[in-house]
C-alpha cells in the first residue's frame, strides 16, 4: 500500500493533471505517478522536523505573477489563450465551438477534449474558443466574441448570472440562434437559458408559462423535504434513461440536452469529448453530411461522481458517500501515517466546488488540505453537485448522534452556502449555520482577476467579486474573506497563493483550538481605544461605557471558568489599574506599562518591522517608546490582558494613514500586536467598542494581501469586535479588513430633546392662544408675545416672521394670526422632537422602561411597506379619518389644527408604546424582551379552555 503522506506530498509538488489518470473514465489516483514524485517530497508530510518551521507551499507553487497576459478591465487573460485550432484537418469537416463560463476550471478539460478529437476522430475536427464572463466587459474582447459567434456551429454557456453580462451574451447569440446548429446553456439567468436549442428541444417558455418539471419538483419538496436542486439532479440522472425509449424526435432531443448537461457536470476531458462528439454528429450539418452512410460513434456514458460526497486527494476511493466510511479510512489508515492523533486533533470542515474535482483542477484544495493536516488537524472536505451546500453540511458535518464533528468550517467556493452566485436562500443558509454553531469562514479564489491585477490594485477585489463572493456570504454569516487562490493565465488552472493559504490554515486552526482548549487556559486580550482616535480619552468608544462593560465581560468570563486573576470588580478600580489618570490621553505618561519590548526582540518577532522604517525611522521611535524600548500599555489579570491600542499616527493628524499610499503604522503600533500574538500569546483578541485604528491601516479595501497592514498586524489572531449597531458601514470595514467577527451593541436610547427657557415659554403662550384665539382682546396680545419671544429665541432664522418693530396682531386677520402661530408651533415641535442619545450603553445591561419607550416610539413611527406594516402614527391618524401624510404636510406648513393633531398623535403613540413596555418590564425595571399583549391574552384564554 502506498504511503498516504508520501502520496499527498507528491500531489503537492507535481501537476495534478499528471497525478490523476486522464486516459480513461477512471477517477482513481495514479499510484505510479504519485510514487515517482513522492521520493523527493515525502518530508513535506512529516509531522516532526522542518514542516513545523516551514510551509509546504513554498514548494507548491512558483510565483503566479511572473507571466502577465493582456486583457480586459479586471481580467488579465484573454480568449486567445483558450483558442484551439486543429493543426491538420485531414479533409474532415470542422465544427467551431464558442463557450462562455463564469470561472476558468473548464478551460483545461475543454482544451484536452478538443485536442483528443482532433488527434483521434475520423469524422470531425474541432475549433474551440472560450471566454470568461467578465472578459465581455472589455470592448475588444466583446467585439472578438461577436466575430467568433458569427461563424460558430455550437455555443455553450454556463453560470451566466451577472445581469449586464447576461444581456451582452443574449445580444450576440440571440440574432444567430437560428443559424447555430446547437445552443447549450446550463444553469444561468432565464433570458440566457431561453437561448437553448438542441434540435426541436428549446426552453423559450422558461419562466413564462406553467412548468411540468417545476410542479413535479414542488410536489417532491412537499413530499420529502428535498430542495429543488437535489430533486433536479436526481431527475437529470434518471430522465435520459426514460427518454431513450420514447420514439419521438422531441424526446430524443430532450435526452441529448440532458445527456449534455450530465457530460458538462462531469467536467473531465473524457466527458466533454463525449459531449462534443454527440452534438457534432447529431446536430452540426457539415459533420452530419460527412457521416452519411457511416456508423455513428457510440459515445461513452457520462462518468459522474455522486451528487454529494466527501473527497480527499489521496483516498483509495475518490469519494465517500457517508462520513462513517470516510472516517474509518481516515482515522485508521491516513492519520497514523500522517502523524495526526484523531482523538485529540481539531477537525476542519471544507466546502468545495464539485466542478474543480470533476475537471481535476484541485491544486488549491490539495494545498490547503495539506497545510491543515501538517498542523495536526483532521480535514473533512464535502461537495455538492449543485449550488446548495446545506444538504452535505447537515449530512457530513454531524456524527450519528447528531453532534457536530467539525470545529471550524471554511467555504472554499467563495460563494453563498445556498444558491452560489445565482439565487441565494440566506434564511436557509443562516438556519443551517446557526444549528451547526461553528466559525464559518468564506475564503475567496480570484475569479475575475489575475494575481497581478489583484496585487497591483488599491481596491483589491474586483467589485463584482466583492458582491458575489464577500457580501452575499456575509449575509449567511461568513467571516474572513481571505484570498487563497487564483488562476494561471495560460491554462486557466487554479493556483494556490502560498502565504495566503498559510494564513488561512493558521487562522482556521486558531478558531478550532478555541473550542477544544480548556477555558481556564484560554488567553483573552481586551483592546481599548481612545475615541475619536488620538483626540478622546483612553478607554472611550462611541456610545459605550467601556469600563463598566469590561466589568460585565470579566464577570461573565469568571462565571464561565476563565482565569481573570485578581481583576477588580468595580469599573473605577479597573480603570485605575490601566490608567493612573482617568483623563489620560494616549500620549500620557499616566498609563500602566505592561511590557517593555527591546528593539532586538521587536525586530526578531515582527517580520515587517524594517518596512516601517521608511516612514518612522529605526525602532523604537518616539511613539509608545521610552527611548530605548517599545512600550505596551495595559494590565494583565490572570489570563486576561486589558491593553491600550497605540495611537493612529502623528498626534493632531490621526487620519493621515487612511489616504497616504506609502504610509504605515508606527513601530509602537506594530509592537502592540506582536506582543498580543507572540509574547502574551492570546488565543483571541476582543476589540472593545467603536472604534480603533487597526481596520483603517493602509492596504487594499477588500481582499488583503500579505503586504496590507491590517493583515500583517492581526496575522493569525482570532478577533471579535464590539461595534455600535448604528454604524454597519465601518463595522463591515472591520469585518473585511481586520478579519473580525463583529458583535453589535445597542446605542443609548434616543430621547426627544425637549424644550427649555424661551422655547418652553413659547409653547405655553401657544397653548394659551389655542384657548383664547377667538377673544379679540387677549388673542392678538398673545400673538404679539409669541412673535417677540420667537425673535428672542432666534426662530426668525428658521421661519418667516412679521417685522418685530411694525407688526401688531390686532391689525391682522384671524387667519394670518393662525398661520404665524402655526409656523412657530411647528418649528418648536420639530425642536422638541429631535432625538438625542441618553447616556452610554453598557454591554449586557438591558434598557430601563423609560429608555425603551423613547426608542420604541421612534421605531414604531416608521412605515415598513416591504413587510406590509404601517407605522403607528399612520394607524392612529386613520382612526380619526385623516392621512398622516396630510397631517405632516399641514404641520410643516404651520396649519394650526394639523400641528395640534400631530402632537396628539405623538402623545397617543407614546401612550400605546408605554402600555406595551409596562407589561414587558421585569422586577428590576428593565426590558429584556418585549412581550406582545396577544401573548398574554392567548395564555389567559388558553387557561380558560384547559
Amino acid at each position: 500500500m502506498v504511503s498516504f503522506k508520501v502520496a499527498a506530498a507528491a500531489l503537492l509538488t507535481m501537476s495534478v493533471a499528471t497525478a490523476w489518470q486522464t486516459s480513461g473514465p477512471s477517477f482513481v489516483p495514479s499510484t505510479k505517478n504519485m510514487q515517482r514524485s513522492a521520493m523527493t517530497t515525502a518530508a513535506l508530510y512529516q509531522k516532526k522536523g522542518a514542516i513545523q518551521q516551514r510551509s509546504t507551499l513554498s514548494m507548491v507553487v512558483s510565483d503566479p505573477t511572473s507571466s502577465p497576459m493582456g486583457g480586459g478591465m479586471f481580467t488579465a487573460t484573454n480568449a486567445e489563450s483558450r483558442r484551439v485550432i486543429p493543426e491538420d484537418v485531414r479533409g474532415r469537416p470542422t465544427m467551431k465551438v464558442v463557450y462562455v463560463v463564469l470561472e476558468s476550471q473548464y478551460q483545461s478539460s475543454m482544451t484536452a477534449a478538443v485536442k483528443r478529437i482532433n488527434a483521434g476522430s475520423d469524422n470531425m475536427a474541432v475549433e474551440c474558443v472560450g471566454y470568461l464572463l467578465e472578459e465581455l466587459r472589455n470592448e475588444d474582447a466583446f467585439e472578438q466574441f461577436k466575430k467568433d459567434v458569427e461563424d460558430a456551429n455550437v455555443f455553450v454557456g454556463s453560470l451566466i448570472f451577472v445581469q449586464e453580462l447576461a444581456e451582452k451574451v443574449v445580444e450576440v447569440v440571440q440574432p444567430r440562434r437560428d443559424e447555430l446548429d446547437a445552443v447549450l446553456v446550463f444553469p444561468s439567468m432565464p433570458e440566457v437559458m431561453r437561448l437553448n436549442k438542441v434540435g426541436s428541444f428549446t426552453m423559450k417558455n422558461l419562466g413564462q408559462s406553467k412548468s411540468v418539471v417545476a410542479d413535479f419538483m414542488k410536489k417532491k419538496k412537499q413530499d420529502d423535504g428535498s430542495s429543488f436542486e437535489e430533486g433536479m439532479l436526481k431527475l437529470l440522472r434518471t430522465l435520459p434513461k426514460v427518454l431513450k425509449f420514447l420514439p419521438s424526435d422531441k424526446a430524443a432531443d430532450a435526452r441529448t440536452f440532458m445527456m449534455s448537461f450530465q457530460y458538462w457536470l462531469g467536467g473531465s476531458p473524457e466527458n466533454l469529448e463525449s459531449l462534443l462528439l454527440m452534438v457534432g454528429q447529431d446536430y452540426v450539418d457539415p459533420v452530419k453530411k460527412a457521416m452519411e452512410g457511416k456508423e455513428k460513434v457510440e459515445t461513452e456514458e457520462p462518468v459522474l461522481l455522486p451528487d454529494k460526497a466527501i473527497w480527499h486527494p489521496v483516498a483509495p476511493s475518490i469519494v465517500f458517500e457517508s462520513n462513517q466510511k470516510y472516517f474509518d479510512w481516515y482515522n485508521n489508515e491516513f492519520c497514523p501515517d500522517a502523524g495526526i492523533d484523531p482523538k485529540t486533533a481539531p477537525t476542519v470542515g471544507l466546502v468545495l466546488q464539485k466542478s474543480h474535482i470533476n475537471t481535476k483542477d484541485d491544486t488549491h484544495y490539495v494545498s490547503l488540505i495539506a497545510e491543515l493536516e501538517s498542523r495536526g488537524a483532521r480535514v473533512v472536505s464535502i461537495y455538492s453537485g449543485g449550488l446548495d451546500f446545506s444538504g452535505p453540511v447537515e449530512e457530513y458535518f454531524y456524527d450519528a448522534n447528531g453532534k457536530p464533528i467539525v470545529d471550524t468550517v471554511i467555504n472554499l467556493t467563495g460563494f453563498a452556502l445556498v444558491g452560489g452566485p445565482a439565487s441565494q436562500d440566506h434564511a436557509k443558509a443562516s438556519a443551517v449555520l446557526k444549528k451547526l454553531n461553528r466559525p464559518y469562514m468564506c475564503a475567496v479564489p480570484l475569479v475575475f482577476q489575475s494575481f497581478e491585477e489583484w496585487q497591483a490594485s488599491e481596491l483589491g477585489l474586483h467589485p463584482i467579486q466583492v458582491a458575489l463572493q464577500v457580501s452575499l456570504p456575509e449575509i449567511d454569516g461568513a467571516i474572513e474573506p481571505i484570498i487563497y487562490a487564483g488562476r494561471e493565465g495560460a491554462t486557466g488552472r487554479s493556483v494556490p497563493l502560498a502565504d495566503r493559504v498559510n494564513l488561512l490554515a493558521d487562522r482556521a486552526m486558531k478558531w478550532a483550538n478555541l473550542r477544544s482548549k480548556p477555558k481556564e487556559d484560554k488567553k483573552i486580550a481586551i483592546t481599548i481605544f481612545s475615541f475619536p482616535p488620538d483626540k478622546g480619552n483612553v478607554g472611550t468608544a462611541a456610545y459605550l461605557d467601556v469600563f463598566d462593560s469590561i466589568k460585565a465581560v470579566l464577570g461573565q468570563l469568571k462565571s464561565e471558568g476563565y482565569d481573570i486573576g485578581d481583576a477588580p470588580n468595580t469599573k473605577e478600580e479597573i480603570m485605575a489599574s490601566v490608567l493612573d489618570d482617568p483623563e489620560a490621553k494616549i500620549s500620557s505618561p499616566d498609563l500602566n506599562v505592561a511590557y517593555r519590548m527591546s528593539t532586538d526582540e521587536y525586530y526578531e518577532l515582527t517580520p515587517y518591522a524594517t518596512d516601517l522604517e521608511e516612514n518612522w525611522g529605526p525602532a523604537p521611535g518616539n511613539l509608545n517608546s521610552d527611548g530605548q524600548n517599545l512600550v505596551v500599555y495595559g494590565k494583565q489579570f490572570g489570563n486576561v490582558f486589558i491593553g491600550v491600542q497605540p495611537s493612529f499616527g502623528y498626534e493632531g493628524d490621526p487620519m493621515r494613514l487612511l489616504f497616504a499610499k506609502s504610509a504605515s503604522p508606527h513601530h509602537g503600533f506594530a509592537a502592540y500586536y506582536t506582543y498580543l500574538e507572540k509574547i502574551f500569546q492570546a488565543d483571541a483578541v476582543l476589540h472593545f467598542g467603536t472604534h480603533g485604528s487597526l481596520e483603517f491601516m493602509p492596504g487594499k479595501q477588500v481582499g488583503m494581501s500579505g503586504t496590507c497592514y491590517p493583515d500583517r498586524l492581526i496575522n493569525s489572531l482570532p478577533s471579535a469586535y464590539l461595534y455600535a449597531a448604528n454604524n454597519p458601514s465601518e463595522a463591515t470595514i472591520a469585518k473585511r479588513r481586520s478579519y473580525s467577527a463583529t458583535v453589535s451593541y445597542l446605542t443609548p436610547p434616543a430621547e426627544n430633546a425637549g424644550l427649555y427657557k424661551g422655547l418652553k415659554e413659547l409653547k405655553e403662550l401657544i397653548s394659551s392662544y389655542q384657548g383664547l384665539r377667538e377673544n379679540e382682546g387677549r388673542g392678538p396680545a398673545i400673538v404679539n408675545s409669541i412673535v417677540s419671544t420667537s425673535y428672542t429665541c432666534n426662530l426668525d432664522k428658521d421661519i418667516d416672521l412679521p417685522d418685530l418693530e411694525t407688526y401688531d396682531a390686532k391689525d391682522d386677520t384671524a387667519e394670518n394670526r393662525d398661520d404665524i402661530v402655526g409656523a412657530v408651533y411647528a418649528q418648536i415641535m420639530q425642536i422638541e422632537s429631535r432625538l438625542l442619545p441618553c447616556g452610554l450603553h453598557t454591554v449586557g445591561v438591558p434598557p430601563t422602561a423609560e429608555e425603551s419607550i423613547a426608542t420604541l416610539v421612534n421605531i414604531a413611527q416608521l412605515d415598513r411597506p416591504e413587510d406590509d406594516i404601517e407605522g403607528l402614527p399612520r394607524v392612529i391618524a386613520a382612526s380619526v379619518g385623516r392621512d398622516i401624510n396630510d397631517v405632516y404636510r399641514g404641520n410643516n406648513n404651520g396649519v394650526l389644527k394639523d400641528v395640534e393633531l400631530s402632537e396628539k398623535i405623538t402623545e397617543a403613540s407614546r401612550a400605546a408604546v408605554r402600555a406595551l413596555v409596562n407589561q414587558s418590564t421585569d422586577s428590576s425595571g428593565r426590558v429584556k424582551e418585549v412581550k406582545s399583549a396577544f401573548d398574554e391574552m392567548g395564555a389567559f384564554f388558553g387557561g380558560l379552555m384547559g
Side-chain angles (χ1 to χ4, degrees):
M1 181 182 70
V2 63
S3 166
F4 289 114
K5 60 186 175 183
V6 169
L11 279 174
L12 286 173
T13 53
M14 64 191 294
S15 165
V16 176
T18 60
W20 298 94
Q21 295 174 348
T22 58
S23 57
S26 173
F27 282 89
V28 179
S30 167
T31 302
K32 180 179 179 181
N33 283 336
M34 288 181 177
Q35 290 175 330
R36 185 164 56 239
S37 295
M39 300 309 296
T40 58
T41 58
L44 294 181
Y45 253 43
Q46 299 294 337
K47 284 295 297 166
K48 297 178 181 179
I51 190 65
Q52 295 177 343
Q53 287 81 36
R54 179 164 168 262
S55 167
T56 60
L57 284 168
S58 62
M59 301 176 68
V60 174
V61 58
S62 59
D63 180 9
T65 69
S66 58
S67 55
M69 305 280 292
M73 180 178 73
F74 275 93
T75 310
T77 57
N78 59 49
E80 295 309 309
S81 65
R82 275 168 250 114
R83 189 180 298 276
V84 181
I85 298 175
E87 295 179 3
D88 184 1
V89 174
R90 302 198 309 272
R92 298 170 295 175
T94 299
M95 173 178 74
K96 182 174 180 180
V97 179
V98 179
Y99 66 93
V100 175
V101 290
L102 178 69
E103 297 184 78
S104 61
Q105 63 262 41
Y106 276 88
Q107 177 183 343
S108 58
S109 286
M110 184 65 90
T111 300
V114 171
K115 288 182 176 179
R116 289 164 65 123
I117 292 173
N118 288 339
S121 173
D122 294 327
N123 301 318
M124 72 176 80
V126 179
E127 177 185 346
C128 181
V129 60
Y131 291 82
L132 298 183
L133 186 59
E134 279 297 313
E135 288 174 342
L136 301 186
R137 294 184 187 276
N138 179 274
E139 290 185 10
D140 292 338
F142 186 58
E143 289 302 317
Q144 184 59 50
F145 173 58
K146 286 182 181 178
K147 292 178 182 177
D148 280 320
V149 172
E150 276 294 323
D151 61 353
N153 299 101
V154 178
F155 174 78
V156 181
S158 178
L159 296 182
I160 300 172
F161 286 112
V162 181
Q163 180 66 49
E164 64 268 32
L165 299 178
E167 291 170 359
K168 282 177 171 283
V169 172
V170 173
E171 174 190 336
V172 173
V173 179
Q174 180 67 56
R176 285 275 304 143
R177 180 176 178 274
D178 291 341
E179 285 73 38
L180 286 162
D181 294 305
V183 178
L184 298 167
V185 179
F186 307 120
S188 296
M189 299 192 77
E191 57 265 43
V192 189
M193 293 289 288
R194 284 194 285 269
L195 296 172
N196 266 301
K197 184 189 82 167
V198 182
S200 60
F201 174 83
T202 72
M203 292 187 178
K204 62 183 179 180
N205 295 322
L206 182 70
Q208 298 176 347
S209 63
K210 190 172 181 180
S211 167
V212 175
V213 173
D215 289 345
F216 169 79
M217 301 314 305
K218 189 180 296 183
K219 184 177 186 304
K220 180 170 177 54
K221 183 175 181 179
Q222 292 170 351
D223 291 344
D224 62 14
S226 62
S227 71
F228 178 90
E229 186 175 83
E230 289 173 340
M232 190 66 201
L233 288 170
K234 291 177 183 176
L235 187 66
L236 182 64
R237 285 183 181 272
T238 57
L239 194 56
K241 298 175 184 177
V242 176
L243 293 174
K244 184 164 64 172
F245 298 102
L246 298 181
S248 72
D249 291 340
K250 187 171 289 189
D253 294 335
R255 180 180 184 275
T256 298
F257 176 79
M258 291 289 189
M259 292 291 290
S260 299
F261 195 6
Q262 284 195 16
Y263 284 129
W264 184 261
L265 289 176
S268 66
E270 298 82 13
N271 280 318
L272 297 187
E273 179 184 6
S274 294
L275 185 158
L276 296 176
L277 288 172
M278 178 182 68
V279 171
Q281 66 185 5
D282 288 342
Y283 296 97
V284 177
D285 283 337
V287 179
K288 288 169 62 179
K289 289 178 181 177
M291 292 187 65
E292 288 178 358
K294 295 182 181 179
E295 187 175 343
K296 287 186 179 181
V297 175
E298 189 71 28
T299 56
E300 297 286 340
E301 287 293 311
V303 180
L304 299 175
L305 293 177
D307 292 330
K308 56 183 177 180
I310 302 173
W311 174 81
H312 193 282
V314 299
S317 172
I318 186 65
V319 296
F320 300 84
E321 294 189 71
S322 76
N323 54 13
Q324 180 181 349
K325 291 181 180 178
Y326 174 72
F327 282 113
D328 282 346
W329 166 76
Y330 193 77
N331 291 342
N332 298 320
E333 296 186 45
F334 180 85
C335 285
D337 223 6
I340 299 170
D341 184 351
K343 295 180 180 179
T344 60
T347 301
V348 179
L350 303 181
V351 179
L352 315 179
Q353 261 187 289
K354 184 181 178 219
S355 60
H356 282 282
I357 299 169
N358 284 334
T359 59
K360 307 176 182 71
D361 180 27
D362 53 14
T363 310
H364 52 324
Y365 293 162
V366 175
S367 302
L368 181 61
I369 291 170
E371 286 298 309
L372 289 167
E373 289 172 342
S374 75
R375 289 160 171 76
R378 296 194 311 167
V379 177
V380 51
S381 305
I382 65 172
Y383 70 78
S384 170
L387 298 173
D388 184 349
F389 297 92
S390 60
V393 165
E394 298 216 288
E395 185 168 345
Y396 300 130
F397 284 171
Y398 293 86
D399 63 18
N401 299 317
K403 181 181 177 182
I405 58 176
V406 293
D407 299 296
T408 302
V409 175
I410 311 175
N411 184 342
L412 296 181
T413 72
F415 294 121
L417 189 71
V418 179
S423 177
Q424 296 77 36
D425 188 341
H426 297 298
K428 181 179 181 181
S430 297
V432 169
L433 293 171
K434 186 176 181 180
K435 175 186 171 185
L436 186 65
N437 194 27
R438 295 294 187 268
Y440 175 62
M441 306 163 71
C442 195
V444 182
L446 290 172
V447 174
F448 305 129
Q449 292 161 280
S450 67
F451 279 118
E452 304 95 309
E453 288 164 326
W454 166 66
Q455 287 175 329
S457 171
E458 293 176 18
L459 291 176
L461 277 180
H462 186 303
I464 295 293
Q465 192 156 349
V466 172
L468 291 178
Q469 298 190 282
V470 179
S471 298
L472 292 178
E474 283 176 344
I475 299 174
D476 293 345
I479 57 174
E480 305 196 10
I482 296 172
I483 309 296
Y484 77 102
R487 52 181 167 72
E488 195 275 319
T491 66
R493 297 188 67 83
S494 297
V495 182
L497 187 57
D499 73 310
R500 303 291 82 200
V501 173
N502 269 319
L503 179 68
L504 183 58
D506 286 341
R507 295 191 63 81
M509 290 295 291
K510 288 284 186 74
W511 280 111
N513 289 329
L514 276 172
R515 177 161 296 278
S516 59
K517 192 171 186 178
K519 290 180 179 178
E520 63 270 19
D521 296 332
K522 291 178 185 175
K523 291 188 172 183
I524 308 298
I526 295 175
T527 296
I528 61 176
F529 319 116
S530 59
F531 181 83
D534 289 351
K535 295 186 181 297
N537 295 335
V538 172
T540 52
Y543 304 118
L544 185 67
D545 188 330
V546 171
F547 286 102
D548 206 26
S549 297
I550 289 176
K551 183 192 81 170
V553 170
L554 289 174
Q556 185 69 27
L557 288 173
K558 184 177 181 179
S559 71
E560 293 186 14
Y562 289 81
D563 178 8
I564 66 167
D566 57 352
N569 56 11
T570 69
K571 77 172 190 177
E572 291 78 14
E573 290 177 302
I574 297 172
M575 183 187 299
S577 65
V578 179
L579 319 173
D580 296 330
D581 176 6
E583 301 297 317
K585 303 286 185 181
I586 196 71
S587 58
S588 170
D590 298 317
L591 298 173
N592 187 70
V593 176
Y595 190 79
R596 297 183 190 275
M597 186 183 299
S598 70
T599 54
D600 288 344
E601 184 178 34
Y602 168 68
Y603 278 109
E604 180 183 351
L605 297 179
T606 311
Y608 54 90
T610 53
D611 293 347
L612 312 185
E613 293 180 356
E614 178 182 355
N615 293 292
W616 301 98
N622 299 319
L623 298 174
N624 285 73
S625 165
D626 61 10
Q628 293 183 323
N629 305 290
L630 289 153
V631 176
V632 177
Y633 295 119
K635 182 73 174 179
Q636 185 171 342
F637 302 103
N639 284 333
V640 177
F641 173 69
I642 303 175
V644 181
Q645 187 185 79
S647 63
F648 198 84
Y650 290 119
E651 301 298 330
D653 186 19
M655 297 299 172
R656 63 184 290 271
L657 294 181
L658 274 176
F659 309 105
K661 296 179 182 178
S662 61
S664 67
H666 57 78
H667 293 294
F669 205 104
Y672 177 78
Y673 282 93
T674 295
Y675 170 79
L676 295 186
E677 182 180 18
K678 297 178 179 176
I679 298 174
F680 176 65
Q681 296 183 340
D683 293 295
V685 57
L686 173 57
H687 290 94
F688 217 92
T690 308
H691 57 71
S693 307
L694 171 67
E695 63 268 35
F696 299 105
M697 285 294 172
K700 302 181 189 300
Q701 289 188 17
V702 184
M704 302 290 101
S705 72
T707 58
C708 296
Y709 284 105
D711 181 282
R712 285 176 156 184
L713 290 160
I714 198 66
N715 198 29
S716 67
L717 282 173
S719 170
Y721 209 134
L722 284 171
Y723 239 90
N726 70 337
N727 195 353
S729 57
E730 289 184 338
T732 300
I733 292 173
K735 178 183 289 189
R736 295 175 181 178
R737 300 189 83 244
S738 61
Y739 308 142
S740 295
T742 53
V743 180
S744 298
Y745 60 84
L746 289 174
T747 54
E751 181 58 280
N752 296 121
L755 301 174
Y756 61 96
K757 295 183 180 179
L759 293 174
K760 193 171 185 180
E761 180 185 342
L762 259 179
K763 187 174 182 181
E764 292 169 355
L765 286 169
I766 292 170
S767 180
S768 299
Y769 175 74
Q770 288 169 338
L772 297 169
R773 60 189 296 271
E774 304 294 338
N775 188 318
E776 287 298 325
R778 298 284 304 280
I782 295 173
V783 173
N784 286 335
S785 297
I786 289 173
V787 172
S788 175
T789 307
S790 296
Y791 272 100
T792 303
C793 296
N794 295 319
L795 293 189
D796 58 305
K797 294 179 173 57
D798 300 308
I799 58 176
D800 291 330
L801 292 172
D803 186 87
L804 182 62
E805 301 296 329
T806 61
Y807 180 76
D808 190 341
K810 71 175 186 293
D811 299 328
D812 208 346
T813 64
E815 184 179 3
N816 283 344
R817 289 198 294 264
D818 281 355
D819 288 345
I820 292 169
V821 174
V824 173
Y825 195 7
Q827 184 63 25
I828 64 172
M829 284 286 291
Q830 183 178 343
I831 294 171
E832 184 179 24
S833 63
R834 283 175 180 163
L835 298 178
L836 295 176
C838 302
L840 296 173
H841 177 71
T842 298
V843 172
V845 178
T848 65
E850 287 303 311
E851 291 170 341
S852 300
I853 291 169
T855 301
L856 291 174
V857 164
N858 292 298
I859 293 174
Q861 72 179 350
L862 301 175
D863 293 323
R864 293 175 176 79
E866 67 277 8
D867 297 320
D868 294 326
I869 297 175
E870 293 183 336
L872 192 53
R874 185 175 298 280
V875 174
I876 295 171
S879 71
V880 295
R882 294 293 305 277
D883 181 87
I884 192 64
N885 293 334
D886 293 337
V887 175
Y888 287 153
R889 196 175 296 113
N891 177 82
N892 294 339
N893 293 332
V895 177
L896 188 57
K897 67 175 184 177
D898 286 339
V899 175
E900 293 171 351
L901 180 57
S902 179
E903 183 178 19
K904 288 178 181 178
I905 289 172
T906 300
E907 291 171 353
S909 298
R910 195 173 186 87
V913 170
R914 182 179 293 279
L916 178 68
V917 169
N918 284 342
Q919 69 182 20
S920 305
T921 305
D922 63 15
S923 57
S924 66
R926 296 187 178 275
V927 181
K928 292 184 179 177
E929 61 178 341
V930 177
K931 300 177 182 176
S932 168
F934 297 104
D935 291 342
E936 294 197 355
M937 289 172 60
F940 174 73
F941 287 115
L944 289 178
M945 298 295 290

